[in-house]
Amino acid sequence: MRLGWKLHGDGARITPGEVVAPDERLSWPRTIGIGLQHIVAMFGATFLVPVITKFDPATTLFFSAIGTIAFLLITGNKLPSYLGSSFAFIVPIGAATASGGQSVALGGIVATGVLLALVGVVVHFAGPRWIQIAMPPVVTGVIVALIGLNLAHVAWENFQVSPVTAVITLASIILIQVLFRGLVGRLAILLGVVIGYVVASLRGEVDLSEVRKADWLGLPDFVAPSFDLNVLGLFLPVVLVLIAENVGHVKSVAAMTGRNYDPLTGRALLADGVATTLAGLGGGSGTTTYAENIGVMAASRVYSTAAYWVAAFGALLLSLSPKFGELIASVPEGVLGGVTTMLYGMIGILGARIWVQAKVNFSDPVNLTTAAVPLVIGIAGFTWTVGDLEFGGIALGTAAALVIYHVMGAIGRWRGTAQG
């Protein structure tokens, strides 16, 4: 591992057609500025998860920063990435918290992180190709779509609390996306939340009592995990989503920098697993590599890991202000109703985007059935109880996608009916 960086050119300009590589940097003032952009880019999504799940935002931000530092160290300071809150955890955290409290939900996050880390070790030594065989695009698309669409009822419940605030929040997000370009357009969700928050304040829907009582400086609230086998099954599909997101991140950075990062895939999975485990051990939400920060890199053409060290330490400093955390936690349900209506739908469509980009052939009965059956299971909220264990819609949908794809494919090849 090399923590130093070469200066790119004169440190001030990037020649057309070139990029600032992960082992390079611009001048430190410019690098710090780009690092701050990464904080802004990850901020809205990273805070939205604890706000929705009722976790402490400051604690989540703290472990997000710690997780990013761990990721940079484990990947040898070669792979630029920020680790923020994963939306894949929202449903299992909500279900686990309802049945056993936050501590039980944290136990599920720890289990997810440990399993992901083990997968990373296997991939590091065996190579990433087996993941592509076990989880082709039709399966990963289903899993991602399930995560978003299964959440639709939560968005509606929050929306009904304050329809006016929710509509204004949602309309703001939609309009910002089409009215502005660049960084402002990419921060539409964060800015929409700010506008919704202002509207909610004017309507008397914001309670700032906890903000006033909170200290300006202090450690986040740490919570220890506990383990309940009844809810661990809810978190298993999340591992598959995190695998898909991390592999996609590695491929994206490789494509944009022109370098081959496949050998780092196992380390990336291991690092995210370690970061998620650390978060679960202390009260934070599980982490994943952030597409929002890939957008910042694509726009700036700066892939320097130095900018991510700046972002990590900046986020760490922000997490040490309890007053700041309480301010984020004060976002009212009406605002959440508006933003989650957009957000959960976007997650669902991201699953379809995977199908489109991979050119999945839905005239093939195997692909069509693999997508159709799990989606109904997840959206309808099917459950299956085995003894004391209950598996929910996303877990069942994920299992159905894997079983249907591989069993139908094996039978089709045996009978000679497979299309490809």
Side-chain angles (χ1 to χ4, degrees), residues 356-402:
V356 173
Q357 290 180 331
K359 299 180 180 179
V360 175
N361 177 19
F362 283 108
S363 66
D364 184 343
V366 174
N367 291 334
L368 183 62
T369 308
T370 298
V373 174
L375 283 178
V376 172
I377 291 174
I379 294 171
F382 281 39
T383 58
W384 180 38
T385 303
V386 181
D388 293 331
L389 299 178
E390 182 178 285
F391 299 93
I394 294 180
L396 285 182
T398 299
L402 289 167

Side-chain angles (χ1 to χ4, degrees), residues 21 37 41 84 90 106 154 187 195 222 230 243 251 263 293 314 331 344 347 351 382-383 392 405 418-419:
Q37 283 189 72
I90 292 176
L106 291 173
V154 178
L187 294 178
I195 293 172
F222 297 116
N230 291 323
I243 291 172
K251 294 291 186 183
N293 296 93
V331 175
Y344 296 160
I347 296 172
F382 281 39
T383 58
Y405 178 81
Q419 291 191 17

Side-chain angles (χ1 to χ4, degrees), residues 306-318:
Y308 283 97
W309 283 96
V310 172
F313 281 107
L316 188 61
L317 290 175
L318 286 174

Side-chain angles (χ1 to χ4, degrees), residues 213-295:
K213 290 187 291 185
D215 296 327
W216 282 102
L217 294 175
L219 289 173
D221 293 328
F222 297 116
V223 180
S226 59
F227 299 91
D228 184 349
L229 291 176
N230 291 323
V231 302
L232 290 183
L234 298 171
F235 289 85
L236 293 180
V238 177
V239 177
L240 304 179
V241 176
L242 297 181
I243 291 172
E245 289 178 340
N246 277 273
V247 172
H249 178 85
V250 172
K251 294 291 186 183
S252 296
V253 174
M256 291 186 291
T257 60
R259 297 187 176 190
N260 178 23
Y261 287 111
D262 283 352
L264 289 176
T265 302
R267 287 194 182 194
L269 292 169
L270 170 62
D272 193 7
V274 170
T276 296
T277 302
L278 291 174
L281 288 173
S285 181
T287 63
T288 187
T289 51
Y290 257 24
E292 289 87 343
N293 296 93
I294 290 181

Side-chain angles (χ1 to χ4, degrees), residues 174-181:
I174 294 171
L175 290 175
I176 290 171
Q177 289 184 100
V178 294
L179 287 174
F180 301 97
R181 298 178 179 177

